[in-house]
Amino acid sequence: MLSSLIMAFIVGGLICVIGQLLMDIGKLTPAHTLTILVVAGAILDGFNLYEPLIDFAGAGATIPITSFGNSLTHGAIAEAEKHGWIGVLTGMFEVTSSGISAAILFGMIGALIFHSKGQHP
Amino acid sequence: MDQGVIYFPSKPAIIASGVVAGPVEKKSVFAKDFDKFYDDERAEEDSNEKGHQTMAEQACQIALQKAKIKQNDVDFLMSGDLVNQMTPSNFAAATLQIPYIGLFSACATAVSSVIIASLLTELGGSRYALAGAGSQHNSVERQFRYPVEYGGQKPGTAQWTVTAAGYVLIAKGQMNSPVVEAATVGKVIDLQQTDPFHMGAAMAPAACDTITRHLKGRGQKLSDYDLIMTGDLGKIGLPILKEMLIKEGMAKQDVQKIRDAGAEYYGDDESFLAGASGAGCSASVFFSYILKQLNEKKMERVLAIATGALLSPLTVQQNESIPCTAHAVEISMK
């Protein structure tokens, strides 16, 4: 239990360090950084490398945004196996649809309930 | 005569000023010289931009009340801000019903508006003219970087956009008021700096050029001034400016006395990163602290240099560099 928590913390933290370095040293915008991490997750899964990382680090690999890229590839490959090439298009959002729907739904609820405040350091 | 240096023989007088600021600015080291604070950065309006507009109107009204001048007697309003198409200034001008020209020199607008208002007064075309600028944190952050709700990170070289508006009322030579003696219009200088979170460094060369030209054009030295203050170079830009001026051959002990409103604005509080910036930064400090020092005769001659980075979000996305400018005004009190 404790060792899996520690591994999740280290691996998840390292993924975030990569993101922070992209912004601080690479001078990339947050949007660029996010996109790069998603694409990296998708490519890693294409080489069957992301699943072993999840087995190893658990939430440390599933919580960061790289996991979203992993899910995109996962869904595309799974559907492609069932339905051929068209499955690449239909499968991509099959696994990820819950995440996307949740983002839209909670985004809407947040926008309805809250009024943004200013920054007060 | 040196390039861009103007002398005002009729000595247009700054007879009153109005400075209003937002809630965060209560922490400013200059806060005790401001006229009014809002507890809400939107000034109790529906939107940030409306609050921005209200602050500009209020600052103008306060200046008029202090001088006991009616809106109808003011011939010109020179104003600008950092929001797209300068709607806060434009809309404030619609409320105030004073003939108006919008000016954009980014964060240097406080001084460029004073220069134009002084010229109109010098030419005899203006009995009273209002001049100033403002900025509002949330609307300017959204305009140039990210909406504050997005919570984007900023590096330590970034600066904090001030929520404040400052306006002065300029009239034909009058006794017992600080007068605008001379001014220098800034060149636009581009040393290929491209980081929009590091503007102090980009603006320092423009400030250096304007100060050097002003002193040469007026036949002065740094030591002829009781105070030389730049607008918003911040804690990183100010040392760069000092280094450049020393390289220009200016006396080191005089250069060390140069101050920057942005670097001092929020004191040593590190949550404000490299200090304050925004059109409201120079406007609120120059038109409160500096004028007060002159009015109380604690200072006789001040050079106020407002610095501005002339970028747009589009030019940053297109990887263009950030051209900068600095406008200077020499104010004295007899």
Side-chain angles (χ1 to χ4, degrees):
Chain A
M1 167 71 177
L2 188 67
S3 71
S4 66
L5 281 178
I6 292 170
M7 283 334 288
F9 177 78
I10 292 175
V11 172
L14 282 176
I15 294 173
C16 297
V17 166
I18 294 170
Q20 192 69 51
L21 290 176
L22 286 173
M23 287 198 278
D24 288 354
I25 296 173
K27 301 277 177 210
L28 294 179
T29 64
H32 281 119
T33 307
L34 177 119
T35 315
I36 286 171
L37 289 176
V38 170
V39 171
I43 292 173
L44 283 175
D45 192 49
F47 291 104
N48 271 325
L49 293 171
Y50 207 81
E51 282 302 316
L53 191 66
I54 292 175
D55 294 338
F56 176 65
T62 57
I63 301 294
I65 195 71
T66 41
S67 149
F68 187 79
N70 169 54
S71 304
L72 287 173
T73 310
H74 237 72
I77 293 173
E79 283 290 292
E81 279 168 356
K82 269 194 243 167
H83 305 293
W85 284 107
I86 195 74
V88 174
L89 300 176
T90 59
M92 242 187 257
F93 291 111
E94 198 156 289
V95 190
T96 53
S97 61
S98 60
I100 294 170
S101 306
I104 293 171
L105 187 68
F106 291 119
M108 189 193 76
I109 294 172
L112 283 176
I113 298 178
F114 297 107
H115 188 48
S116 65
K117 297 275 193 296
Q119 278 179 305
H120 297 265
Chain B
M1 203 69 189
D2 271 81
Q3 236 187 330
V5 185
I6 318 155
Y7 174 56
F8 300 102
S10 77
K11 298 196 192 324
I14 301 175
I15 58 169
S17 69
V19 171
V20 302
V24 176
E25 284 59 38
K26 285 177 191 168
K27 291 184 193 172
S28 170
V29 296
F30 301 106
K32 63 177 185 335
D33 296 331
F34 298 170
D35 296 301
K36 180 179 174 162
F37 292 96
Y38 289 91
D39 289 325
D40 172 30
E41 62 263 338
R42 295 194 184 95
E44 277 93 42
E45 300 286 349
D46 303 336
S47 70
N48 290 306
E49 287 71 16
K50 271 191 182 173
H52 193 336
Q53 174 196 341
T54 300
M55 288 186 201
E57 291 168 14
Q58 262 303 311
C60 290
Q61 293 290 4
I62 289 172
L64 293 177
Q65 281 161 16
K66 280 191 200 166
K68 299 190 179 69
I69 302 289
K70 284 198 221 73
Q71 248 159 273
N72 300 342
D73 294 326
V74 181
D75 288 318
F76 298 101
L77 168 64
M78 298 293 137
S79 174
D81 57 74
L82 303 169
V83 174
N84 249 358
Q85 284 80 41
M86 300 195 305
T87 46
S89 288
N90 297 344
F91 288 22
T95 313
L96 292 167
Q97 284 298 301
I98 299 169
Y100 156 78
I101 296 177
L103 299 164
F104 184 82
S105 310
C107 307
T109 307
V111 170
S112 61
S113 59
V114 166
I115 294 175
I116 304 293
S118 302
L119 275 170
L120 290 167
T121 310
E122 179 74 31
L123 289 168
S126 168
R127 289 167 295 168
Y128 298 101
L130 277 165
S135 55
Q136 198 264 6
H137 184 84
N138 300 354
S139 51
V140 174
E141 288 296 321
R142 170 165 57 207
Q143 177 70 62
F144 283 93
R145 287 164 284 262
Y146 305 108
V148 293
E149 299 92 321
Y150 175 72
Q153 292 177 5
K154 280 177 158 191
T157 52
Q159 288 167 258
W160 183 277
T161 307
V162 163
T163 299
Y167 287 80
V168 287
L169 190 59
I170 295 178
K172 269 186 189 156
Q174 294 200 5
M175 299 297 280
N176 300 322
S177 287
V179 296
V180 180
E181 284 227 14
T184 295
V185 174
K187 288 183 190 170
V188 178
I189 292 183
D190 186 352
L191 293 187
Q192 303 301 312
Q193 214 284 106
T194 54
D195 186 355
F197 288 112
H198 201 161
M199 307 237 258
M203 294 190 292
C208 175
D209 176 76
T210 299
I211 293 172
T212 313
R213 252 181 320 119
H214 186 87
L215 294 180
K216 192 164 162 252
R218 298 274 292 136
Q220 295 165 328
K221 306 183 292 298
L222 287 175
S223 54
D224 292 332
Y225 288 90
D226 297 307
L227 171 67
I228 295 176
M229 191 181 244
T230 48
D232 57 357
L233 295 178
K235 290 171 185 171
I236 293 173
L238 180 61
I240 298 175
L241 168 68
K242 288 180 177 174
E243 208 174 294
M244 294 182 86
L245 287 172
I246 290 169
K247 271 196 192 138
E248 289 284 328
M250 296 194 188
K252 204 170 176 178
Q253 71 271 21
D254 296 332
V255 170
Q256 289 309 337
K257 284 183 197 152
I258 296 176
R259 293 167 61 185
D260 180 70
E264 292 179 30
Y265 209 94
Y266 296 111
D268 293 328
D269 191 338
E270 282 179 10
S271 34
F272 294 98
L273 307 166
S277 71
C281 174
S282 45
S284 60
V285 178
F286 293 178
F287 301 159
S288 67
Y289 170 75
I290 288 183
L291 292 180
K292 201 173 172 201
Q293 295 293 311
L294 289 162
N295 273 314
E296 291 174 358
K297 304 198 174 171
K298 288 177 185 158
M299 291 179 185
E300 264 180 27
R301 190 172 298 273
V302 173
L303 187 62
I305 310 107
T307 42
L310 304 171
L311 76 171
S312 87
L314 190 68
T315 60
V316 171
Q317 282 164 7
Q318 293 175 340
N319 294 323
E320 298 278 351
S321 56
I322 302 173
C324 293
T325 193
H327 300 302
V329 64
E330 179 184 336
I331 311 171
S332 71
M333 180 77 186
K334 280 272 150 53

